[in-house]
Amino acid sequence: AALLDGETGRILYGKNAEALMPNASTTKILTCIIAIEQGNLDQICTASEYACSMPETKCGFAPGESFYLKDLLYSLMLESQNDSAVVIAESIGGNVEQFAALMNEKAAEIGCQTYHFVTPNGLDAEKQNADGEVIRHGTTAAELAKILHYCTKMSPKHDEFLTITRCRSYSFSDSDGYNTYSCQNHNALLDMT
C-alpha cells in the first residue's frame, strides 16, 4: 500500500510500498493516459483476433469491429475490459510489444524506478530481455501512486483522464452503429464526499 499527498505527490505512508508485485488491472491507468496523450480521441481503432481472444473481463468485440478511441477508454476505465486495452495498445503502438515499450518509457519519464510493463491490461505476463533474464509484468504500490498522481495532476491531459474516470455510466456503439455497449463505473469511492 502507498498513501500519497494528492497535491504534492509525496508518499505519506507505505506498507511494502517498494515491493515489486504483479499489478493486475491497475496497469490500465497507464494505458489510458498514454492513449489520451498520444492518440486522437476520434481515431478509429479496429479489434484484432488477438484482442478478441482476451479472457474475462471483456466487452466481447468481434474481429474487425471498429470503435472510436474515446469510447474504448471508457470501456477500459469503467469496466476494466481486457479486450479494449489490447485494441487501444495495437492502435496506438502498432502492437502490444511496442505499446509496452511506450508504457515503460512513460513510467521512466514520470520518475518510476521499479517496474516492468509487458501488457496493456495487466494480465500476468513475462518476457525475456536481451540478457536472457525473465522479466515479469509488475510494479510497486509507490510507483502506482506516482503514476496516478501524474495522471490526475501533472499530465497535460489530466482533465481528459479525470472526465473519463469520474463518469458513472457510459454507452457507445461500434463506429458503424451496429452494436451497442454499456459501461458502469464500479469505483465505490466515486460518490463519497
Side-chain angles (χ1 to χ4, degrees):
L3 175 67
L4 86 161
D5 182 310
E7 292 302 316
T8 67
R10 185 172 65 92
I11 300 287
L12 302 173
Y13 170 80
K15 181 175 181 180
N16 296 326
E18 302 299 333
L20 179 66
M21 303 178 80
N23 61 304
S25 285
T26 58
T27 299
K28 294 174 177 123
I29 296 167
L30 187 57
T31 298
C32 183
I33 200 64
I34 290 170
I36 293 170
E37 289 180 353
Q38 296 196 17
N40 173 338
L41 297 181
D42 293 324
Q43 80 184 66
I44 299 291
C45 305
T46 303
S48 68
E49 284 192 35
Y50 177 67
C52 295
S53 74
M54 292 295 107
E56 301 293 337
T57 301
K58 63 182 183 177
C59 249
F61 303 143
E65 199 172 7
S66 296
F67 304 89
Y68 292 103
L69 175 60
K70 175 184 176 182
D71 296 333
L72 292 173
L73 292 171
Y74 282 92
S75 170
L76 178 78
M77 298 308 290
L78 273 59
E79 291 284 349
S80 193
Q81 306 288 8
N82 291 321
D83 50 0
S84 293
V86 174
V87 175
I88 291 166
E90 291 175 340
S91 297
I92 300 295
N95 60 45
V96 168
E97 293 77 19
Q98 291 174 352
F99 189 80
L102 294 174
M103 295 174 80
N104 288 302
E105 288 170 17
K106 178 57 76 174
E109 177 187 313
I110 292 169
C112 298
Q113 297 178 358
T114 308
Y115 59 88
H116 301 294
F117 291 102
V118 180
T119 70
N121 50 24
L123 294 175
D124 290 341
E126 59 185 41
K127 69 175 187 171
Q128 210 169 26
N129 69 13
D131 298 330
E133 176 187 11
V134 174
I135 298 172
R136 288 179 180 78
H137 183 94
T139 191
T140 71
E143 303 295 30
L144 279 174
K146 280 184 198 174
I147 291 167
L148 190 55
H149 183 257
Y150 172 80
C151 293
T152 59
K153 295 286 186 185
M154 309 303 293
S155 169
K157 301 286 187 170
H158 71 276
D159 286 334
E160 290 90 337
F161 179 86
L162 290 170
T163 296
I164 292 167
T165 57
R166 289 177 174 166
C167 183
R168 286 175 172 73
S169 64
Y170 187 82
S171 294
F172 65 97
S173 298
D174 60 63
S175 61
D176 294 324
Y178 294 133
N179 298 311
T180 302
Y181 302 88
S182 294
C183 305
Q184 298 297 316
N185 197 327
H186 299 281
N187 181 353
L189 302 176
L190 194 61
D191 293 317
M192 293 179 73
T193 55

Coordinates of all heavy atoms in Angstrom, one line a residue, residues 21-34 76-77 80 82 85 99-100 103-104 116-125 137-139 144 147 151 161:
M21 N 5.5 -6.2 -7.5 CA 4.5 -7.2 -7.5 C 3.6 -7.1 -8.8 O 3.6 -6.1 -9.4 CB 3.5 -7.1 -6.3 CG 4.2 -7.1 -4.9 SD 3.1 -6.8 -3.6 CE 2.4 -8.5 -3.5
P22 N 2.9 -8.2 -9.2 CA 2.0 -8.0 -10.3 C 1.0 -7.0 -9.9 O 0.5 -7.0 -8.8 CB 1.4 -9.4 -10.4 CG 2.3 -10.4 -9.7 CD 2.9 -9.5 -8.6
N23 N 0.7 -6.1 -10.9 CA -0.3 -5.0 -10.5 C -1.6 -5.1 -11.2 O -2.4 -4.2 -11.2 CB 0.4 -3.6 -10.7 CG 0.8 -3.4 -12.2 OD1 1.6 -4.2 -12.7 ND2 0.3 -2.3 -12.8
A24 N -1.8 -6.2 -11.9 CA -3.2 -6.5 -12.5 C -3.8 -5.3 -13.2 O -3.1 -4.6 -13.9 CB -4.1 -7.0 -11.4
S25 N -5.1 -5.1 -13.0 CA -5.8 -4.1 -13.8 C -5.4 -2.7 -13.5 O -5.8 -1.8 -14.3 CB -7.3 -4.3 -13.7 OG -7.7 -5.4 -14.5
T26 N -4.7 -2.4 -12.5 CA -4.2 -1.0 -12.2 C -3.3 -0.6 -13.4 O -3.0 0.6 -13.6 CB -3.5 -0.9 -10.9 OG1 -2.4 -1.8 -10.8 CG2 -4.5 -1.1 -9.7
T27 N -2.8 -1.6 -14.1 CA -2.0 -1.3 -15.3 C -2.7 -0.3 -16.3 O -2.2 0.5 -17.0 CB -1.7 -2.6 -16.1 OG1 -0.9 -3.4 -15.2 CG2 -0.9 -2.4 -17.4
K28 N -4.1 -0.5 -16.3 CA -4.9 0.2 -17.3 C -4.8 1.8 -17.0 O -5.2 2.5 -17.9 CB -6.3 -0.3 -17.2 CG -6.4 -1.7 -17.8 CD -7.7 -2.3 -17.6 CE -7.8 -3.8 -18.2 NZ -8.2 -4.8 -17.2
I29 N -4.4 2.2 -15.9 CA -4.3 3.6 -15.6 C -3.2 4.2 -16.5 O -3.4 5.2 -17.2 CB -3.9 3.9 -14.1 CG1 -5.0 3.4 -13.2 CG2 -3.5 5.3 -13.9 CD1 -4.6 3.3 -11.7
L30 N -2.1 3.5 -16.6 CA -1.0 3.9 -17.5 C -1.4 3.8 -19.0 O -1.1 4.7 -19.8 CB 0.3 3.2 -17.2 CG 1.5 3.6 -17.9 CD1 1.9 5.1 -17.7 CD2 2.7 2.7 -17.5
T31 N -2.1 2.7 -19.3 CA -2.6 2.5 -20.7 C -3.5 3.7 -21.1 O -3.3 4.2 -22.2 CB -3.4 1.2 -20.8 OG1 -2.5 0.1 -20.5 CG2 -4.0 1.0 -22.2
C32 N -4.4 4.1 -20.2 CA -5.3 5.2 -20.5 C -4.6 6.5 -20.8 O -4.8 7.2 -21.8 CB -6.3 5.3 -19.4 SG -7.5 6.6 -19.6
I33 N -3.6 6.9 -19.9 CA -3.0 8.2 -20.1 C -2.1 8.2 -21.3 O -2.1 9.2 -22.0 CB -2.2 8.6 -18.8 CG1 -2.0 10.2 -18.8 CG2 -0.9 7.9 -18.6 CD1 -3.3 11.0 -18.7
I34 N -1.5 7.1 -21.6 CA -0.7 7.1 -22.9 C -1.6 7.3 -24.1 O -1.3 8.0 -25.0 CB 0.1 5.8 -23.0 CG1 1.2 5.8 -21.9 CG2 0.7 5.6 -24.4 CD1 2.0 4.5 -21.7
L76 N -12.3 0.7 -21.0 CA -11.1 0.4 -20.3 C -11.2 0.8 -18.8 O -10.9 0.0 -17.9 CB -9.9 1.1 -20.9 CG -8.6 0.9 -20.3 CD1 -8.0 -0.4 -20.7 CD2 -7.6 2.1 -20.8
M77 N -11.6 2.0 -18.5 CA -11.5 2.6 -17.2 C -12.8 2.3 -16.3 O -12.7 2.2 -15.1 CB -11.2 4.1 -17.2 CG -9.9 4.4 -17.9 SD -8.5 3.4 -17.2 CE -8.3 4.2 -15.6
S80 N -13.0 -2.0 -16.9 CA -11.7 -2.7 -16.9 C -11.6 -3.8 -18.0 O -11.2 -4.9 -17.7 CB -11.4 -3.3 -15.5 OG -10.1 -3.7 -15.4
N82 N -10.4 -6.1 -20.8 CA -9.1 -6.6 -21.3 C -9.0 -6.4 -22.8 O -7.9 -6.1 -23.3 CB -8.9 -8.0 -20.8 CG -8.6 -8.1 -19.3 OD1 -8.0 -7.2 -18.7 ND2 -9.2 -9.1 -18.7
A85 N -8.3 -2.8 -23.8 CA -6.9 -2.5 -23.6 C -6.0 -2.9 -24.8 O -5.1 -2.1 -25.2 CB -6.4 -3.1 -22.3
F99 N 3.6 -1.1 -27.7 CA 2.9 -0.3 -26.7 C 3.5 -0.4 -25.3 O 3.6 0.5 -24.5 CB 1.4 -0.6 -26.7 CG 0.6 0.3 -25.8 CD1 0.2 1.6 -26.3 CD2 0.2 0.0 -24.5 CE1 -0.5 2.5 -25.6 CE2 -0.5 0.9 -23.7 CZ -0.9 2.1 -24.3
A100 N 3.9 -1.7 -25.0 CA 4.6 -1.9 -23.7 C 5.9 -1.1 -23.6 O 6.2 -0.6 -22.5 CB 4.9 -3.4 -23.5
M103 N 4.8 2.3 -22.6 CA 4.5 2.3 -21.1 C 5.7 2.4 -20.3 O 5.8 3.1 -19.3 CB 3.7 1.0 -20.8 CG 2.4 0.8 -21.5 SD 1.6 -0.8 -21.2 CE 0.9 -0.4 -19.6
N104 N 6.8 1.6 -20.6 CA 8.0 1.7 -19.8 C 8.7 3.0 -20.0 O 9.2 3.5 -19.0 CB 8.9 0.5 -20.2 CG 8.4 -0.8 -19.7 OD1 8.2 -1.0 -18.5 ND2 8.1 -1.8 -20.6
H116 N 8.1 -3.1 -14.6 CA 8.2 -3.8 -15.9 C 6.8 -4.0 -16.5 O 6.0 -4.7 -16.0 CB 8.8 -5.2 -15.7 CG 10.2 -5.3 -15.1 ND1 11.3 -4.7 -15.6 CD2 10.6 -5.8 -13.9 CE1 12.3 -4.9 -14.8 NE2 11.9 -5.5 -13.7
F117 N 6.5 -3.2 -17.5 CA 5.2 -3.3 -18.1 C 5.4 -4.2 -19.4 O 6.2 -3.9 -20.2 CB 4.7 -1.9 -18.5 CG 4.3 -1.2 -17.2 CD1 5.1 -0.2 -16.7 CD2 3.1 -1.5 -16.5 CE1 4.8 0.5 -15.6 CE2 2.8 -0.8 -15.4 CZ 3.6 0.2 -14.9
V118 N 4.5 -5.2 -19.5 CA 4.6 -6.2 -20.6 C 3.2 -6.2 -21.3 O 3.2 -6.4 -22.5 CB 4.9 -7.6 -20.1 CG1 5.0 -8.6 -21.2 CG2 6.3 -7.6 -19.3
T119 N 2.1 -5.9 -20.6 CA 0.8 -6.0 -21.2 C 0.1 -4.6 -20.9 O 0.3 -4.0 -19.9 CB -0.1 -7.1 -20.7 OG1 -0.4 -6.8 -19.3 CG2 0.7 -8.4 -20.7
P120 N -0.9 -4.3 -21.8 CA -1.6 -3.0 -21.6 C -2.8 -3.2 -20.6 O -3.4 -2.3 -20.1 CB -2.2 -2.7 -22.9 CG -2.3 -4.0 -23.6 CD -1.2 -4.9 -23.1
N121 N -3.1 -4.5 -20.3 CA -4.3 -4.8 -19.4 C -3.9 -5.3 -18.1 O -4.8 -5.5 -17.2 CB -5.3 -5.7 -20.2 CG -4.6 -7.0 -20.7 OD1 -3.5 -7.4 -20.3 ND2 -5.2 -7.5 -21.7
G122 N -2.7 -5.7 -17.8 CA -2.2 -6.2 -16.5 C -2.4 -7.7 -16.3 O -2.1 -8.2 -15.2
L123 N -2.8 -8.4 -17.4 CA -2.8 -9.8 -17.2 C -1.4 -10.3 -17.0 O -0.4 -9.7 -17.5 CB -3.4 -10.5 -18.5 CG -4.8 -10.2 -18.8 CD1 -5.3 -10.8 -20.1 CD2 -5.7 -10.8 -17.7
D124 N -1.2 -11.3 -16.2 CA 0.1 -11.9 -15.9 C 0.9 -12.2 -17.2 O 0.3 -12.9 -18.0 CB 0.0 -13.1 -15.0 CG -0.4 -12.8 -13.6 OD1 -0.3 -11.6 -13.2 OD2 -0.9 -13.7 -12.9
A125 N 2.1 -11.7 -17.3 CA 2.9 -12.0 -18.5 C 4.3 -11.8 -18.1 O 4.7 -11.2 -17.1 CB 2.5 -11.0 -19.6
H137 N 5.7 -8.9 -15.6 CA 4.8 -7.7 -15.5 C 4.6 -7.3 -14.1 O 4.1 -8.1 -13.3 CB 3.5 -7.9 -16.3 CG 2.7 -6.7 -16.4 ND1 2.7 -5.8 -17.4 CD2 1.8 -6.2 -15.5 CE1 1.8 -4.9 -17.2 NE2 1.2 -5.0 -16.0
G138 N 4.9 -6.1 -13.7 CA 4.6 -5.6 -12.4 C 5.2 -4.3 -12.0 O 6.0 -3.8 -12.8
T139 N 4.9 -3.8 -10.9 CA 5.4 -2.5 -10.3 C 5.2 -2.5 -8.8 O 4.8 -3.5 -8.3 CB 4.9 -1.3 -11.1 OG1 5.6 -0.2 -10.7 CG2 3.4 -1.1 -10.8
L144 N 2.9 3.0 -8.5 CA 1.5 3.2 -8.9 C 0.9 4.5 -8.4 O 0.2 5.2 -9.2 CB 0.6 2.1 -8.4 CG 0.6 0.8 -9.3 CD1 -0.2 -0.3 -8.5 CD2 0.1 1.0 -10.7
I147 N 2.3 7.2 -10.7 CA 1.6 7.2 -12.0 C 0.3 7.8 -11.9 O -0.1 8.7 -12.7 CB 1.5 5.7 -12.5 CG1 2.9 5.2 -12.9 CG2 0.6 5.6 -13.7 CD1 3.0 3.7 -13.2
C151 N -1.3 11.2 -13.7 CA -2.5 11.2 -14.5 C -3.5 12.2 -14.0 O -4.2 12.8 -14.9 CB -3.1 9.8 -14.4 SG -2.2 8.5 -15.2
F161 N -8.4 12.7 -18.6 CA -8.3 11.5 -17.8 C -9.4 11.5 -16.7 O -10.1 10.5 -16.5 CB -6.9 11.3 -17.2 CG -6.7 10.1 -16.3 CD1 -6.4 8.9 -16.8 CD2 -6.9 10.2 -14.9 CE1 -6.2 7.8 -16.0 CE2 -6.8 9.1 -14.1 CZ -6.4 7.9 -14.6

